[in-house]
């Protein structure tokens, strides 16, 4: 039982990361029906920005987190304007290939900029362990990851449901042409969606840096793919679905690792993807309760 509870705690921490990245996938898909495969590499850039802020500038965790989110939000808008806007009316395969190209550009551009070697993230947060009962342990880093994730998710829900830009995002998600006729600036709304999704990915990158203490230019590939699986699991285009899918995937991976099958922790994500596409292609939340961005 203690092993189960310990892996549940670990899984929630890992799922928080997947959920933040998955939100970017699902928001962009909800608005422009595009799978932005460069999103995982924006997460990688966010991790390096956090590394630069803490290791070079000597900033503490919170300023580094905010700076990373702001810069990656700008990066997301630049990517959207330069790579995706010209292909707005092109076949989807063209946008998909472009997304893969942007992903490779970010990965190998970062290698050229900082070298491909693994960097050790500074100890901005000294690890403190809290014993709950028996051998069950939770660390201050896990608590911070969960608190930051929940805070960002609540902020996202507030933006989507209570602000002008959030209402515009939901309108564009449901009917782009009707929204345009009602005076909504569709281009600015799409740019804002990319900015918010990229900022959340950057936050995930910084959180991974303080949790695992190691970053590299290719670190965004597997988490990016797994976050996509999480988005599909919950229902691509559905914000609560991305959150739920991220946490579920993190918990499943932790359970697989905790019970001695760590070699299968990566394949299990894609087995889940295959099963969900066969059994319930719309995702766990389904079309009946579809809540687009």
């Amino acid at each position: 039982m203690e092993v189960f509870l310990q892996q549940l705690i670990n899984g929630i921490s890992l799922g928080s990361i997947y959920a933040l990245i998955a939100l970017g996938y699902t928001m962009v898909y909800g608005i422009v029906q595009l799978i932005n495969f460069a999103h995982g590499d924006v997460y990688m850039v966010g991790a390096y920005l956090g590394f630069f802020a803490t290791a070079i500038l000597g900033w503490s965790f919170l300023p580094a987190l905010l700076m990373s989110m702001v810069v990656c939000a700008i990066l997301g808008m630049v990517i959207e304007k330069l790579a995706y806007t010209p292909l707005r009316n092109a076949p989807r395969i063209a946008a998909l290939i472009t997304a893969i190209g942007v992903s490779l550009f970010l990965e190998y551009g970062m290698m050229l900029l900082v070298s491909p070697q693994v960097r050790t993230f500074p100890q901005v947060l000294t690890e403190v362990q809290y014993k709950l009962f028996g051998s069950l342990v939770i660390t201050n880093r896990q608590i911070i990851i969960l608190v930051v994730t929940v805070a960002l998710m609540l902020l996202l829900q507030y933006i989507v449901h209570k602000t002008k830009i959030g209402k515009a995002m939901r309108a564009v998600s449901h009917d782009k042409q009707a929204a345009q006729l009602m005076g909504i600036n569709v281009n600015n709304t799409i740019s804002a969606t990319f900015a918010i999704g990229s900022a959340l990915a950057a936050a995930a990158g910084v959180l991974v840096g303080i949790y695992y203490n190691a970053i590299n230019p290719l670190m965004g590939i597997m988490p990016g793919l797994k976050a996509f699986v999480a988005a599909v699991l919950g229902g691509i285009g559905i914000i609560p679905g991305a959150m739920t899918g991220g946490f579920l995937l993190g918990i499943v991976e932790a359970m697989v690792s905790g019970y001695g099958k760590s070699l299968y922790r990566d394949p299990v994500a894609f087995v889940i993807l295959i099963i969900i596409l066969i059994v319930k292609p719309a995702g766990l939340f389904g079309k009946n309760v579809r809540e687009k961005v």
Side-chain angles (χ1 to χ4, degrees), residues 14 30 35 55 89 95 101 112 115 122 125 156 163 184 194 222 287:
L14 181 60
I35 303 298
N89 298 316
L112 185 65
S115 82
L125 295 173
L156 176 62
T163 66
I184 293 173
F194 271 85
M222 191 57 70
K287 291 183 178 178

Side-chain angles (χ1 to χ4, degrees), residues 211-228:
Y211 191 50
Y212 292 109
N213 295 120
I215 59 173
N216 68 83
L218 299 181
M219 64 179 283
I221 297 174
M222 191 57 70
L225 290 174
K226 289 180 179 177
F228 170 66

Side-chain angles (χ1 to χ4, degrees), residues 11-145:
I12 289 172
S13 298
L14 181 60
S16 298
I17 305 299
Y18 291 155
L20 285 176
I21 306 173
L23 283 168
Y25 275 114
T26 210
M27 289 175 67
V28 169
Y29 185 85
I31 293 286
V32 289
Q33 283 72 56
L34 166 71
I35 303 298
N36 180 21
F37 280 118
H39 192 62
D41 297 295
V42 174
Y43 149 88
M44 174 271 296
V45 172
Y48 270 94
L49 287 168
F51 173 83
F52 175 78
T54 53
I56 308 300
L57 300 180
W59 292 3
S60 60
F61 166 68
L62 190 57
L65 177 71
L66 295 175
M67 185 274 282
S68 179
M69 291 177 68
V70 169
V71 174
C72 280
I74 296 170
L75 175 63
M77 290 190 289
V78 170
I79 290 172
E80 189 271 329
K81 289 295 184 187
L82 296 182
Y84 300 139
T85 299
L87 301 173
R88 189 76 53 79
N89 298 316
R92 288 191 186 182
I93 188 67
L96 183 63
I97 292 171
T98 301
I100 295 171
V102 173
S103 173
L104 292 172
F105 174 79
L106 291 175
E107 289 166 11
Y108 291 95
M110 187 60 75
M111 278 190 188
L112 185 65
L113 192 63
V114 301
S115 82
Q117 68 184 37
V118 176
R119 303 280 179 141
T120 302
F121 214 85
Q123 293 278 349
V124 283
L125 295 173
T126 304
E127 185 174 66
V128 179
Q129 294 187 343
Y130 303 102
K131 286 192 175 183
L132 302 180
F133 58 85
S135 60
L136 196 63
V137 172
I138 187 170
T139 69
N140 61 326
R141 293 178 184 175
Q142 290 174 320
I143 294 171
I144 288 171
I145 287 172

